């Protein structure tokens, strides 16, 4: 019988450097001696891919893109709280009283932030405020912050700043560590993304009441740091012609057609379905376009590939990962994206999380048929040098 308890600690420490985080956690379950080794910290020379945190009816779960497996996790710290995205390995969470915390996934450390300032006039449109925001605490909690990012990992740098887009994408505010209140920045834009780049925050959005009806203007926008270059990523999201399990455009069943009347335009470009008093539009991602900022010419040029890398987009602080630094082989030129589109209907869950292949422009949705996702999913970056088993 193997004598696991007497394997030298320094030998076990060397072994852990070559384990993925799921295997690292299993490693600690072998015996008390091995558990003591991993409690000392996880130091791996290999980059870890971000995980997709999503929520089914029972509990939070994580999807690991490297092994394409789903793991159940215990996160009581998220009970009754909305997760408004992640940055540098920290969740931004909000409770029903609109209290905001930063939560580290692994250490479980939390940082309490002040409440964001707003009043009724900040919530647009007015009908949305009167029918939903003012009446439902869950709606206020889930819709208060659209996106928030950190300038640095609080575990590594105590001098950090949080920047947030909130109140229906119209307001911008930042909080420096140690401040008593948020500082609000006036904006004439509908804001969509923030990034900390070259020691400053950058934001992207669309001008309010803009008459620019170009295709790019209508797409969802992200800002990404790609090896020191600033990228502007456009995500095309269109009405879904086929929504699995709820509507099939090819169906000839007249009764079914009566139940889901098409209220779109004559050419069928827009698909709407009536349910009680609510009109719902089902949307799905159908492509991406990437542009790199040429800082000398001060213009964006299209980027056709991300050779040697994969990109993770959504409500998280966007992350590029080089595939050459991974412990296991993985194909490059893929964009992993989560469902973060605020204009989509989510009555039947968050179903627009998938993988985009930049080579052949194909898209797959690996999680749609596994779990019913009842809350907004988000990717979270895994920092091996700050991982602790608790």
């Amino acid at each position: 019988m193997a004598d696991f308890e007497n394997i030298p600690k320094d030998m076990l420490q060397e072994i852990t450097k070559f384990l993925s985080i799921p295997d690292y956690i299993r490693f600690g379950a072998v015996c008390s001696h091995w558990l003591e080794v991993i409690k000392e910290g996880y130091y791996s020379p290999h980059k870890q891919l971000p995980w997709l945190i999503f929520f089914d009816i029972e509990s939070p779960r994580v999807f690991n893109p490297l092994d394409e497996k789903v793991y159940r996790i215990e996160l009581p710290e998220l009970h009754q709280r909305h997760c408004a995205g992640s940055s540098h390995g920290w969740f931004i969470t909000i409770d029903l009283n609109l209290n905001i915390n930063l939560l580290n996934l692994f250490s479980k450390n939390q940082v309490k932030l002040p409440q964001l300032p707003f009043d009724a006039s900040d919530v647009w449109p007015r009908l949305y405020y009167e029918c939903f925001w003012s009446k439902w605490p869950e709606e206020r909690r889930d819709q208060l912050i659209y996106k928030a990012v950190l300038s640095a990992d609080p575990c590594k740098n105590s001098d950090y700043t949080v920047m947030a887009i909130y109140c229906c994408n119209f307001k911008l505010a930042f909080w420096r560590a140690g401040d008593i209140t948020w500082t609000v920045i006036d904006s004439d834009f509908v804001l969509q993304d923030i990034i900390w780049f070259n020691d400053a925050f950058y934001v992207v959005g669309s001008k309010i009441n803009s008459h620019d009806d170009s295709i790019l203007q209508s797409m969802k926008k992200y800002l990404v740091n790609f090896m020191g270059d600033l990228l502007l990523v456009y995500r095309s999201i269109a009405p879904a012609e086929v929504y699995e399990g709820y509507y099939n455009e090819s169906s000839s069943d007249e009764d079914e057609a009566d139940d889901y009347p098409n209220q779109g335009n004559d050419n069928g470009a827009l698909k709407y379905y009536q349910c009680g008093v609510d009109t719902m539009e089902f949307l799905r991602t159908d492509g991406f376009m990437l542009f790199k900022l040429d800082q000398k010419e001060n213009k964006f040029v299209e980027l056709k590939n991300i050779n040697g890398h994969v990109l993770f987009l959504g409500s998280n602080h966007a992350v590029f990962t080089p595939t050459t630094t991974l412990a296991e082989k993985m194909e490059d030129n893929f964009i992993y994206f989560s469902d973060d589109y605020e204009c989509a209907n989510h009555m039947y869950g968050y179903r627009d999380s998938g993988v985009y292949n930049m080579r052949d422009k194909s898209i797959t949705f690996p999680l749609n048929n596994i779990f019913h996702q009842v809350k907004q999913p988000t990717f979270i970056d895994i920092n091996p040098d700050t991982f602790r088993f608790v």
Side-chain angles (χ1 to χ4, degrees):
M1 183 175 179
D3 188 6
F4 297 116
E5 290 281 356
N6 290 322
I7 298 177
K9 180 179 288 189
D10 57 350
M11 183 180 297
L12 293 174
Q13 289 172 336
E14 285 299 312
I15 294 173
T16 63
K17 293 180 181 180
F18 299 94
L19 300 178
S20 65
I21 289 181
D23 287 338
Y24 179 75
I25 294 173
R26 297 185 187 105
F27 184 95
V30 171
C31 62
S32 59
H33 177 54
W34 290 29
L35 179 60
E36 287 300 317
V37 171
I38 68 168
K39 280 187 174 180
E40 295 178 4
Y42 180 56
Y43 302 94
S44 171
H46 301 291
K47 174 68 177 177
Q48 300 292 322
L49 288 178
W51 289 353
L52 179 67
I53 309 291
F54 64 97
F55 303 84
D56 69 357
I57 296 174
E58 297 178 0
S59 65
R61 298 176 186 263
V62 297
F63 173 72
N64 182 1
L66 198 57
D67 60 15
E68 297 186 342
K69 292 182 179 179
V70 173
Y71 300 91
R72 181 176 177 176
I73 58 174
E74 297 295 333
L75 277 177
E77 294 82 2
L78 288 181
H79 181 65
Q80 294 283 317
R81 301 187 74 92
H82 170 66
C83 181
S86 70
S87 181
H88 291 286
W90 292 73
F91 290 123
I92 297 90
T93 72
I94 313 166
D95 68 12
L96 290 171
N97 294 317
L98 306 187
N99 297 312
I100 306 168
N101 283 1
L102 302 178
L103 168 66
N104 187 285
L105 173 62
F106 296 110
S107 71
K108 306 299 177 67
N109 290 336
Q110 297 196 59
V111 178
K112 185 177 181 179
L113 276 57
Q115 289 194 337
L116 280 162
F118 71 91
D119 55 41
S121 62
D122 295 325
V123 182
W124 183 92
R126 186 66 186 175
L127 183 61
Y128 168 71
Y129 174 83
E130 294 174 350
C131 296
F132 298 99
W133 183 284
S134 63
K135 296 181 179 180
W136 303 99
E138 293 84 0
E139 187 75 11
R140 290 194 295 273
R141 176 198 63 190
D142 295 353
Q143 300 301 324
L144 175 64
I145 295 179
Y146 171 71
K147 190 162 192 175
V149 301
L150 284 68
S151 63
D153 182 350
C155 290
K156 301 178 181 179
N157 189 343
S158 60
D159 183 19
Y160 64 93
T161 302
V162 183
M163 181 78 82
I165 299 170
Y166 72 109
C167 270
C168 305
N169 298 49
F170 285 105
K171 297 185 74 69
L172 190 67
F174 68 88
W175 175 84
R176 291 191 182 96
D179 285 357
I180 299 176
T181 61
W182 292 80
T183 300
V184 178
I185 302 172
D186 293 330
S187 170
D188 293 327
F189 291 82
V190 180
L191 304 167
Q192 292 192 14
D193 201 11
I194 327 167
I195 190 174
W196 176 257
F197 179 78
N198 286 350
D199 298 323
F201 282 107
Y202 290 74
V203 297
V204 65
S206 303
K207 188 74 173 178
I208 298 175
N209 297 324
S210 171
H211 297 291
D212 184 354
D213 59 356
S214 65
I215 294 177
L216 288 180
Q217 184 66 19
S218 65
M219 292 184 180
K220 186 171 174 57
K221 307 172 186 70
Y222 302 89
L223 294 171
V224 187
N225 184 348
F226 180 44
M227 299 188 299
D229 288 317
L230 182 63
L231 297 192
L232 177 58
V233 178
Y234 289 91
R235 176 176 175 178
S236 175
I237 303 176
E241 293 184 0
V242 178
Y243 194 75
E244 297 93 334
Y246 302 104
Y247 178 77
N248 187 333
E249 190 177 28
S250 63
S251 173
S252 59
D253 190 329
E254 293 183 1
D255 292 335
E256 180 179 351
D258 290 338
D259 290 338
Y260 302 95
N262 180 358
Q263 296 186 350
N265 55 20
D266 292 338
N267 62 14
L270 298 178
K271 299 292 181 185
Y272 296 91
Y273 313 105
Q274 191 72 24
C275 180
V277 297
D278 297 323
T279 299
M280 305 173 292
E281 183 179 7
F282 298 121
L283 304 174
R284 176 156 291 177
T285 297
D286 62 7
F288 288 86
M289 297 181 69
L290 282 65
F291 295 86
K292 182 175 73 173
L293 177 63
D294 185 330
Q295 299 188 39
K296 291 183 179 179
E297 298 293 331
N298 196 28
K299 65 178 183 180
F300 282 96
V301 294
E302 188 171 2
L303 189 67
K304 295 291 187 180
N305 62 71
I306 50 173
N307 289 336
H309 293 80
V310 287
L311 171 61
F312 296 84
L313 284 178
S315 59
N316 60 298
H317 190 161
V319 177
F320 261 108
T321 301
T323 54
T324 54
T325 62
L326 300 174
E328 300 177 39
K329 186 177 180 180
M330 183 177 187
E331 290 190 67
D332 60 0
N333 272 302
F334 283 90
I335 299 175
Y336 290 79
F337 58 91
S338 65
D339 189 338
D340 68 336
Y341 191 48
E342 71 282 5
C343 295
N345 180 276
H346 296 114
M347 177 175 287
Y348 296 109
Y350 289 79
R351 299 171 58 87
D352 190 28
S353 298
V355 186
Y356 176 73
N357 187 331
M358 291 192 68
R359 289 192 174 89
D360 61 15
K361 304 187 185 307
S362 62
I363 300 180
T364 57
F365 298 89
L367 291 178
N368 277 3
N369 297 320
I370 300 177
F371 297 106
H372 179 54
Q373 301 166 51
V374 297
K375 293 184 181 180
Q376 177 174 289
T378 185
F379 288 107
I380 186 163
D381 197 17
I382 307 300
N383 298 317
D385 54 346
T386 61
F387 180 87
R388 292 292 185 275
F389 191 94
V390 293

